[in-house]
Protein backbone atom coordinates (compact mmCIF):
# COMPACT_ATOMS: atom_id res chain seq x y z
CA UNK A 1 0.00 0.00 0.00
CA UNK A 2 1.12 3.60 -0.56
CA UNK A 3 2.85 5.34 2.32
CA UNK A 4 2.35 8.91 3.51
CA UNK A 5 6.10 9.30 3.96
CA UNK A 6 8.99 9.58 1.50
CA UNK A 7 12.05 7.35 1.36
CA UNK A 8 15.54 8.76 0.68
CA UNK A 9 17.99 5.87 0.63
CA UNK A 10 17.49 4.52 4.15
CA UNK A 11 16.32 7.89 5.49
CA UNK A 12 12.62 8.77 5.47
CA UNK A 13 10.58 11.91 6.07
CA UNK A 14 7.12 13.42 5.94
CA UNK A 15 5.82 16.97 5.63
CA UNK A 16 2.48 18.47 6.62
CA UNK A 17 1.24 22.04 6.90
CA UNK A 18 1.79 21.93 10.68
CA UNK A 19 4.55 19.39 11.19
CA UNK A 20 7.75 17.83 9.91
CA UNK A 21 9.44 14.53 10.62
CA UNK A 22 12.69 12.88 9.58
CA UNK A 23 14.75 9.88 10.59
CA UNK A 24 17.96 8.11 9.76
CA UNK A 25 17.95 4.33 9.75
CA UNK A 26 20.83 2.69 11.62
CA UNK A 27 20.69 -1.06 10.98
CA UNK A 28 18.23 -3.75 10.01
CA UNK A 29 16.88 -6.36 7.63
CA UNK A 30 14.68 -4.63 5.05
CA UNK A 31 15.68 -1.48 6.95
CA UNK A 32 14.32 1.14 4.55
CA UNK A 33 10.81 -0.22 5.07
CA UNK A 34 11.16 0.21 8.83
CA UNK A 35 12.04 3.91 8.49
CA UNK A 36 9.35 4.49 5.86
CA UNK A 37 6.68 2.94 8.04
CA UNK A 38 7.71 4.85 11.18
CA UNK A 39 7.29 8.20 9.42
CA UNK A 40 4.10 6.97 7.74
CA UNK A 41 2.48 6.19 11.08
CA UNK A 42 3.57 9.54 12.52
CA UNK A 43 1.80 11.25 9.62
CA UNK A 44 -1.32 9.13 10.17
CA UNK A 45 -1.46 9.97 13.89
CA UNK A 46 -1.13 13.70 13.19
CA UNK A 47 -3.77 13.47 10.48
CA UNK A 48 -6.32 12.43 13.08
CA UNK A 49 -6.19 15.95 14.56
CA UNK A 50 -7.66 17.31 11.31
CA UNK A 51 -10.45 14.74 11.11
CA UNK A 52 -13.61 16.21 12.62
CA UNK A 53 -15.08 12.71 12.83
CA UNK A 54 -12.31 11.67 15.22
CA UNK A 55 -12.62 12.62 18.90
CA UNK A 56 -8.90 13.43 19.02
CA UNK A 57 -9.63 16.66 17.12
CA UNK A 58 -10.89 18.07 20.43
CA UNK A 59 -7.30 17.76 21.71
CA UNK A 60 -5.79 19.68 18.77
CA UNK A 61 -4.00 22.18 21.00
CA UNK A 62 -2.71 19.48 23.36
CA UNK A 63 -0.88 17.40 20.73
CA UNK A 64 2.30 15.83 22.14
CA UNK A 65 4.96 14.86 19.56
CA UNK A 66 6.41 12.25 21.89
CA UNK A 67 3.04 10.52 22.14
CA UNK A 68 2.75 10.67 18.35
CA UNK A 69 6.18 9.06 18.01
CA UNK A 70 5.42 6.42 20.64
CA UNK A 71 2.15 5.37 18.99
CA UNK A 72 3.85 5.20 15.57
CA UNK A 73 6.75 3.20 17.02
CA UNK A 74 4.41 0.68 18.62
CA UNK A 75 2.53 0.27 15.34
CA UNK A 76 5.63 -0.17 13.19
CA UNK A 77 7.01 -2.74 15.65
CA UNK A 78 3.71 -4.63 15.41
CA UNK A 79 4.11 -4.66 11.63
CA UNK A 80 7.73 -5.70 12.00
CA UNK A 81 6.80 -8.78 14.01
CA UNK A 82 4.19 -9.78 11.41
CA UNK A 83 6.37 -9.02 8.36
CA UNK A 84 9.76 -10.11 9.75
CA UNK A 85 11.26 -6.61 9.54
CA UNK A 86 14.28 -5.79 11.69
CA UNK A 87 15.38 -2.20 12.06
CA UNK A 88 16.30 0.74 14.24
CA UNK A 89 16.45 4.45 13.53
CA UNK A 90 16.82 7.88 14.97
CA UNK A 91 13.82 10.23 14.69
CA UNK A 92 12.98 13.90 15.00
CA UNK A 93 9.42 15.19 14.94
CA UNK A 94 8.20 18.77 15.32
CA UNK A 95 4.62 20.04 15.48
CA UNK A 96 3.43 23.64 15.28
CA UNK A 97 0.61 24.84 17.48
CA UNK A 98 -0.07 28.58 17.41
CA UNK A 99 3.28 30.18 18.36
CA UNK A 100 4.80 26.98 19.78
CA UNK A 101 6.99 24.54 17.92
CA UNK A 102 6.95 21.30 19.91
CA UNK A 103 9.97 19.12 19.21
CA UNK A 104 10.69 15.49 20.03
CA UNK A 105 14.12 14.09 19.15
CA UNK A 106 15.81 10.78 19.70
CA UNK A 107 19.27 10.36 18.23
CA UNK A 108 21.37 12.49 15.95
CA UNK A 109 18.94 14.25 13.62
CA UNK A 110 19.16 18.02 13.97
CA UNK A 111 16.90 21.04 14.00
CA UNK A 112 17.83 24.72 13.72
CA UNK A 113 15.51 27.74 13.88
CA UNK A 114 16.67 30.99 12.29
CA UNK A 115 15.07 34.37 12.98
CA UNK A 116 16.14 37.61 11.29
CA UNK A 117 19.36 35.99 10.12
CA UNK A 118 20.37 34.62 13.54
CA UNK A 119 19.98 31.16 15.12
CA UNK A 120 17.50 31.11 18.01
CA UNK A 121 17.46 27.35 18.61
CA UNK A 122 19.64 24.34 17.84
CA UNK A 123 19.35 20.93 19.50
CA UNK A 124 22.26 18.72 20.54
CA UNK A 125 22.76 15.17 19.31
CA UNK A 126 21.82 12.30 21.61
CA UNK A 127 24.73 9.85 21.57
CA UNK A 128 25.53 6.86 23.76
CA UNK A 129 29.09 7.15 22.45
CA UNK A 130 30.81 8.42 19.32
CA UNK A 131 28.76 7.57 16.21
CA UNK A 132 26.35 5.48 18.34
CA UNK A 133 23.19 7.57 18.57
CA UNK A 134 20.07 6.89 20.60
CA UNK A 135 17.63 4.96 18.41
CA UNK A 136 14.22 3.32 18.29
CA UNK A 137 14.02 -0.22 17.01
CA UNK A 138 12.59 -3.69 17.01
CA UNK A 139 14.98 -4.92 19.70
CA UNK A 140 15.20 -3.83 23.32
CA UNK A 141 16.97 -0.49 23.68
CA UNK A 142 15.95 3.15 23.67
CA UNK A 143 12.29 4.18 23.73
CA UNK A 144 10.39 7.43 23.08
CA UNK A 145 10.63 8.06 26.83
CA UNK A 146 14.36 8.67 26.27
CA UNK A 147 13.69 11.41 23.73
CA UNK A 148 14.62 15.07 24.12
CA UNK A 149 11.60 17.40 24.33
CA UNK A 150 11.65 21.10 23.52
CA UNK A 151 9.03 23.80 23.13
CA UNK A 152 10.22 26.85 21.20
CA UNK A 153 8.30 30.10 20.74
CA UNK A 154 8.31 30.96 17.05
CA UNK A 155 7.35 34.00 14.99
CA UNK A 156 6.08 34.50 11.49
CA UNK A 157 9.04 34.49 9.13
CA UNK A 158 11.18 32.10 11.17
CA UNK A 159 13.03 29.49 9.11
CA UNK A 160 13.05 25.92 10.43
CA UNK A 161 15.72 23.49 9.21
CA UNK A 162 15.27 19.82 10.10
CA UNK A 163 17.85 17.36 8.80
CA UNK A 164 19.36 13.93 9.24
CA UNK A 165 22.95 13.60 10.40
CA UNK A 166 24.13 13.39 6.80
CA UNK A 167 23.63 17.17 6.60
CA UNK A 168 24.90 18.26 10.02
CA UNK A 169 27.92 15.90 9.84
CA UNK A 170 29.11 17.72 6.72
CA UNK A 171 28.20 21.38 7.27
CA UNK A 172 29.06 23.48 10.30
CA UNK A 173 26.18 25.42 11.84
CA UNK A 174 27.76 28.76 11.00
CA UNK A 175 28.06 27.70 7.35
CA UNK A 176 24.41 26.63 7.31
CA UNK A 177 23.46 30.04 8.67
CA UNK A 178 25.58 31.84 6.08
CA UNK A 179 24.13 29.77 3.24
CA UNK A 180 20.53 30.28 4.37
CA UNK A 181 20.98 34.04 4.78
CA UNK A 182 22.48 34.27 1.30
CA UNK A 183 19.52 32.40 -0.16
CA UNK A 184 17.10 34.70 1.67
CA UNK A 185 18.91 37.77 0.30
CA UNK A 186 18.38 36.32 -3.17
CA UNK A 187 14.67 35.95 -2.27
CA UNK A 188 14.83 32.21 -2.79
CA UNK A 189 12.04 30.05 -1.40
CA UNK A 190 12.43 27.21 1.11
CA UNK A 191 12.77 24.62 -1.64
CA UNK A 192 15.78 26.40 -3.11
CA UNK A 193 17.26 26.74 0.37
CA UNK A 194 16.94 22.99 0.94
CA UNK A 195 18.51 22.27 -2.46
CA UNK A 196 21.44 24.57 -1.66
CA UNK A 197 22.03 22.84 1.69
CA UNK A 198 21.84 19.41 0.09
CA UNK A 199 24.28 20.40 -2.64
CA UNK A 200 26.76 21.79 -0.11
CA UNK A 201 26.57 18.70 2.10
CA UNK A 202 26.88 16.33 -0.87
CA UNK A 203 29.93 18.11 -2.24
CA UNK A 204 31.61 18.06 1.16
CA UNK A 205 30.80 14.39 1.78
CA UNK A 206 32.43 13.37 -1.50
CA UNK A 207 35.58 15.43 -0.87
CA UNK A 208 38.06 13.32 1.09
CA UNK A 209 40.45 16.29 1.11
CA UNK A 210 37.99 18.64 2.81
CA UNK A 211 39.93 20.67 5.35
CA UNK A 212 37.44 20.21 8.18
CA UNK A 213 33.94 18.89 8.82
CA UNK A 214 31.83 18.54 11.97
CA UNK A 215 32.11 14.73 11.80
CA UNK A 216 35.87 14.91 11.38
CA UNK A 217 36.24 17.22 14.38
CA UNK A 218 34.20 14.91 16.61
CA UNK A 219 36.17 11.87 15.41
CA UNK A 220 39.49 13.53 16.26
CA UNK A 221 38.17 14.55 19.68
CA UNK A 222 37.40 10.87 20.32
CA UNK A 223 40.88 9.82 19.28
CA UNK A 224 40.10 8.55 15.77
CA UNK A 225 41.86 9.56 12.59
CA UNK A 226 39.36 10.81 10.01
CA UNK A 227 39.76 13.11 7.04
CA UNK A 228 37.13 14.93 4.99
CA UNK A 229 33.37 14.61 4.70
CA UNK A 230 31.13 11.71 5.63
CA UNK A 231 29.24 9.90 2.87
CA UNK A 232 25.71 9.17 4.10
CA UNK A 233 22.05 9.33 3.14
CA UNK A 234 20.88 12.94 3.42
CA UNK A 235 17.51 14.43 4.23
CA UNK A 236 16.89 18.15 4.76
CA UNK A 237 13.53 19.83 5.24
CA UNK A 238 13.20 23.62 5.29
CA UNK A 239 10.01 25.39 6.35
CA UNK A 240 8.94 28.99 6.93
CA UNK A 241 6.55 29.87 9.75
CA UNK A 242 3.50 31.69 8.43
CA UNK A 243 -0.20 32.16 9.14
CA UNK A 244 -2.60 30.04 7.10
CA UNK A 245 -4.98 32.36 5.31
CA UNK A 246 -7.86 29.89 5.43
CA UNK A 247 -7.45 29.17 9.13
CA UNK A 248 -6.99 32.37 11.17
CA UNK A 249 -6.90 30.55 14.52
CA UNK A 250 -4.09 28.16 13.52
CA UNK A 251 -0.53 28.62 12.27
Amino acid sequence: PPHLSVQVGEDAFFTRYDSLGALNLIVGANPALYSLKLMHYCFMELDKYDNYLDDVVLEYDQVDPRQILETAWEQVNKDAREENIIGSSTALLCVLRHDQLRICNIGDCGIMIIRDGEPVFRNEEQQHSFNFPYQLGTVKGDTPNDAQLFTVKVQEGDIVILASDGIFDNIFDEDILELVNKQIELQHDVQKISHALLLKASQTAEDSRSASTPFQERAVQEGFYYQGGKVDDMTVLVAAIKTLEDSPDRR
Side-chain angles (χ1 to χ4, degrees), residues 6-217:
V6 179
Q7 188 175 316
V8 183
E10 293 181 350
D11 287 1
F13 71 89
F14 75 85
T15 61
R16 286 171 36 92
Y17 74 94
D18 65 344
S19 50
L20 301 171
L23 58 76
N24 172 45
L25 191 118
I26 307 299
V27 294
N30 201 355
L33 186 57
Y34 186 86
S35 58
L36 190 68
K37 280 177 170 284
L38 184 56
M39 288 291 95
H40 168 79
Y41 286 124
C42 283
F43 188 109
M44 287 189 65
E45 287 302 308
L46 285 161
D47 221 32
K48 293 177 181 178
Y49 289 87
D50 293 330
N51 181 359
Y52 288 95
L53 298 178
D54 195 313
D55 290 342
V56 76
V57 74
L58 300 174
E59 301 172 9
Y60 179 88
D61 287 341
Q62 285 74 50
V63 63
D64 177 356
R66 181 164 61 183
Q67 184 59 56
I68 297 293
L69 184 60
E70 183 168 13
T71 302
W73 177 59
E74 290 171 350
Q75 183 60 54
V76 75
N77 281 350
K78 178 176 179 292
D79 288 359
R81 290 190 293 272
E82 295 172 354
E83 301 172 30
N84 198 28
I85 299 170
I86 300 173
S88 64
S89 72
T90 65
L92 196 156
L93 180 65
C94 62
V95 183
L96 183 65
R97 284 297 182 266
H98 306 290
D99 65 347
Q100 292 185 349
L101 192 66
R102 301 171 190 172
I103 301 163
C104 175
N105 176 64
I106 186 155
D108 57 4
C109 287
I111 184 168
M112 177 186 291
I113 301 174
I114 299 171
R115 177 179 304 148
D116 298 326
E118 296 294 334
V120 295
F121 178 81
R122 171 71 160 95
N123 72 313
E124 292 186 9
E125 295 180 352
Q126 270 189 316
Q127 299 269 7
H128 289 291
S129 58
F130 175 66
N131 211 28
F132 178 29
Y134 282 49
Q135 54 201 270
L136 302 176
T138 52
V139 296
K140 187 176 181 180
D142 302 314
T143 75
N145 286 331
D146 298 308
Q148 299 170 321
L149 299 176
F150 308 98
T151 299
V152 183
K153 290 279 190 178
V154 292
Q155 300 176 8
E156 187 151 6
D158 286 357
I159 301 294
V160 180
I161 300 169
L162 189 158
S164 63
D165 62 322
I167 299 294
F168 287 106
D169 279 345
N170 286 296
I171 317 179
F172 288 101
D173 287 3
E174 55 266 31
D175 294 329
I176 290 175
L177 185 65
E178 181 180 349
L179 188 152
V180 169
N181 287 338
K182 181 178 179 180
Q183 294 293 310
I184 291 173
E185 287 175 9
L186 295 171
Q187 297 184 331
H188 287 174
D189 60 18
V190 292
Q191 187 170 23
K192 288 185 178 179
I193 294 173
S194 66
H195 286 169
L197 288 168
L198 185 59
L199 179 61
K200 172 70 172 176
S202 299
Q203 290 174 337
T204 302
E206 294 168 2
D207 183 4
S208 61
R209 298 169 298 174
S210 180
S212 181
T213 64
F215 185 81
Q216 177 190 352
E217 285 197 355

Side-chain angles (χ1 to χ4, degrees), residues 213-234:
T213 64
F215 185 81
Q216 177 190 352
E217 285 197 355
R218 288 194 295 272
V220 171
Q221 288 172 1
E222 295 294 329
F224 299 100
Y225 173 77
Y226 193 91
Q227 179 66 39
K230 181 190 177 190
V231 176
D232 199 355
D233 293 324
M234 297 180 183

